[in-house]
Amino acid sequence: MAKSTKQRAESPLTPGAPVPQHIGIIMDGNGRWAKARGLPRAMGHRAGTKNIRRVLEEAVRLKIQVLTIYAFSTENWGRPRAEVGHLMRLISQSIRDELDELDANGVQIRHSGRLSGVDPKLAEQIRAAIERTKHNDTIVLNVAFNYGGRAEIVDAIRHIMRDGIAPDEVTEELISRYLYTAGLPDPDMIIRTGGDYRLSNFLTWQAAYAEYYSTPTYWPDFDEAELQQAVAVFQGRDRRFGLVK
Ligand code: FPP
């Protein structure tokens, strides 16, 4: 991946201060980005998809280990049919176009969400991308697709019950192991673009102690400098995890 020297020179980061291990991003504002330019919403989603690569590359430079992106929620099925179809095609096309390079750059693809109810061909593409990249270790790109935080907890409880786990054995650690994100660290920071202050059913369990950051910038415009700025804000936060320092 190309090195960026320009952003480095003006970096707002504090050298030596920890960066988040895991960042979750709610990529909001694609539609408004398009509308502001007199374009159809679909063009906003296209620009938003393109932006994932730019932010992923900067995340690698910043040594972030896991990036979870909210690509499609369980609620997004309620959008107009044409928009849902467009988003599905974009995801499928991105896997086709980007997988070789992601793999060559050591990106491990993971999926959080339900594959039931997804077009079987797309589900198979996703499974194949996960399988192909599972030993990569530059960064984990965890795609929250057909994802809902509550659905995830429901799925975990069903799984726990099917496994016959006794009530006394149910702990926070056990539940974490039954979530889609099993094995990944909890997100240290949730970034939301597009200006709203909502979690929108994203990483509901995992984000319990995440630092929250909202920017008015629409997702397609959220660039390397914006990610650095978010991380710089994180570095300035006092994380107490319910304790007294
Ligand atoms: C929110 O913008 C964005 C989404 C619901 C979809 C985000 C999806 C992508 C960027 C494509 C994902 C692609 C891959 C390859 C993972 P919005 O439509 O709600 O914007 P608005 O609030 O301005 O209307």
Side-chain angles (χ1 to χ4, degrees):
M1 291 183 195
K3 288 258 177 299
S4 164
T5 44
K6 185 168 160 274
Q7 282 86 18
R8 278 272 164 266
E10 302 151 5
S11 173
L13 297 169
T14 306
V19 298
Q21 265 194 294
H22 179 176
I23 295 180
I25 305 187
I26 301 173
M27 308 183 288
D28 202 8
N30 292 343
R32 282 165 286 164
W33 181 92
K35 192 171 176 210
R37 286 161 179 75
L39 298 169
R41 290 176 60 81
M43 295 301 284
H45 292 312
R46 192 163 286 282
T49 302
K50 218 170 137 209
N51 195 44
I52 295 170
R53 176 198 277 242
R54 169 162 74 167
V55 171
L56 179 67
E57 289 178 358
E58 184 61 16
V60 170
R61 283 189 286 270
L62 294 174
K63 301 202 169 16
I64 288 151
Q65 291 164 22
V66 185
L67 200 62
T68 296
I69 53 171
Y70 207 179
F72 193 86
S73 74
T74 44
E75 290 70 38
N76 286 156
W77 293 107
R79 290 191 175 206
R81 212 179 145 85
E83 182 164 339
V84 171
H86 180 74
L87 282 166
M88 295 297 151
R89 282 191 297 281
L90 266 182
I91 292 167
S92 172
Q93 193 187 337
S94 301
I95 298 175
R96 255 196 322 276
D97 295 349
E98 304 285 342
L99 187 58
D100 284 347
E101 198 180 334
L102 290 170
D103 187 30
N105 284 301
V107 178
Q108 183 187 133
I109 312 274
R110 284 199 42 164
H111 167 240
S112 287
R114 288 178 175 163
L115 284 182
S116 56
V118 171
D119 174 73
K121 278 196 196 123
L122 176 56
E124 195 38 50
Q125 262 188 305
I126 294 170
R127 284 195 202 95
I130 294 166
E131 181 59 27
R132 176 169 163 190
T133 62
K134 68 181 179 193
H135 297 302
N136 290 347
D137 61 3
T138 304
I139 192 168
V140 174
L141 178 64
N142 179 33
V143 183
F145 168 70
N146 195 19
Y147 175 87
R150 290 184 174 181
E152 179 177 34
I153 293 168
V154 168
D155 285 352
I157 293 172
R158 287 180 178 162
H159 198 166
I160 287 168
M161 294 182 77
R162 272 193 219 109
D163 282 355
I165 307 280
D168 287 352
E169 286 173 36
V170 178
T171 61
E172 293 186 11
E173 289 68 30
L174 180 116
I175 291 173
S176 293
R177 289 204 300 276
Y178 275 86
L179 298 176
Y180 307 137
T181 50
L184 298 178
D186 282 342
D188 302 293
M189 179 163 73
I190 302 291
I191 296 174
R192 182 173 189 133
T193 61
D196 286 320
Y197 290 81
R198 283 191 288 276
L199 204 49
S200 299
N201 205 13
F202 184 50
L203 300 176
T204 310
W205 173 278
Q206 300 89 332
Y209 281 99
E211 295 296 324
Y212 192 74
Y213 178 89
S214 176
T215 169
T217 303
Y218 298 145
W219 171 247
D221 289 331
F222 186 89
D223 61 7
E224 297 93 336
E226 292 260 0
L227 181 63
Q228 289 185 16
Q229 182 54 35
V231 171
V233 168
F234 172 86
Q235 290 181 320
R237 297 268 175 95
D238 179 22
R239 302 187 81 195
R240 293 187 297 280
F241 300 95
L243 306 174
V244 176
K245 279 202 172 154

